[in-house]
Amino acid sequence: MTHWLSILVHTPAHAALGSVLSYRSANALTPGTLVRVPLGKRETLGVVWSPDAAQSTGEIDPGKVKSVAGALEGIAPLSSAWQQLVTFTAQYYQRSLGEVALAALPPQLRDLSPEQVQRRLQRGAARAKSARSASCTDARGGGGGGGGGGRGGRRCRAAGGGRLPRQPPHRTAHKPKHPP
């Protein structure tokens, strides 16, 4: 089944193209989902927007409507509160919705394909997991070389434990000996 989606793309406010474009997809995507879509000769990042945002100018020729290239999985859809903020900001600054929405996202998302984003998310999850396991040491058993400083017990930096950085000595303000 083909689903028709309204998708925001980065176009200037004065462009005759508009910032909310229609695309088709085999899957129903919720508003706020990040997708890669073809735009002219290139592929760009887009945000699935609410269906009522499209300004209908007449009949749509199904032969000219392009398909969504892919959804960025592993990234939660942007909330409706975020979408309301983008809508307000675009109206306030008299900019297109797509220009404001995509400028608010991290720049690397604009350049990466869905596969590249998925690989980076997997790498980041693996690094976080290994960092959590490496930062937890058992001071009593000596496993890891004294993360506890010989006091005993288990310390885990990932859980907020560990030592605080050394603070500079407290200095009092100089008070004059005689009041003015």
Side-chain angles (χ1 to χ4, degrees):
M1 178 176 189
T2 301
H3 299 276
W4 296 92
L5 303 174
S6 297
I7 297 181
L8 295 183
V9 293
H10 185 276
T11 56
H14 61 275
L17 190 60
S19 66
V20 182
L21 302 178
S22 296
Y23 286 88
R24 65 176 170 235
S25 173
N27 303 324
L29 300 172
T30 60
T33 303
L34 299 176
V35 292
R36 300 291 298 178
V37 293
L39 183 64
K41 295 181 181 180
R42 62 189 171 99
E43 193 175 280
T44 186
L45 182 68
V47 180
V48 178
W49 213 246
S50 62
D52 57 330
Q55 295 105 7
S56 178
T57 57
E59 292 294 317
I60 297 175
D61 182 9
K64 291 185 178 181
V65 176
K66 296 181 180 180
S67 295
V68 171
L72 300 183
E73 296 180 13
I75 299 175
L78 304 171
S79 69
S80 61
W82 187 88
Q83 293 175 29
Q84 290 172 355
L85 178 64
V86 166
T87 302
F88 169 79
T89 305
Q91 291 172 350
Y92 184 83
Y93 289 105
Q94 299 178 5
R95 295 291 184 199
S96 71
L97 280 170
E99 190 175 3
V100 173
L102 296 172
L105 295 174
Q108 289 182 338
L109 283 178
R110 295 181 216 144
D111 301 328
L112 300 175
S113 71
E115 294 80 24
Q116 291 171 322
V117 169
Q118 195 66 26
R119 280 196 304 261
R120 286 200 179 188
L121 288 172
Q122 289 172 350
R123 251 188 295 169
R127 284 183 186 156
K129 185 178 179 182
S130 66
R132 279 193 302 268
S133 64
S135 66
C136 293
T137 60
D138 188 2
R140 286 185 207 162
R151 294 186 186 137
R154 184 175 175 91
R155 291 183 179 250
C156 181
R157 290 189 189 118
R163 294 190 179 152
L164 295 174
R166 184 175 171 205
Q167 298 293 323
H170 180 69
R171 294 186 181 160
T172 58
H174 176 68
K175 293 181 183 177
K177 293 181 180 179
H178 305 286

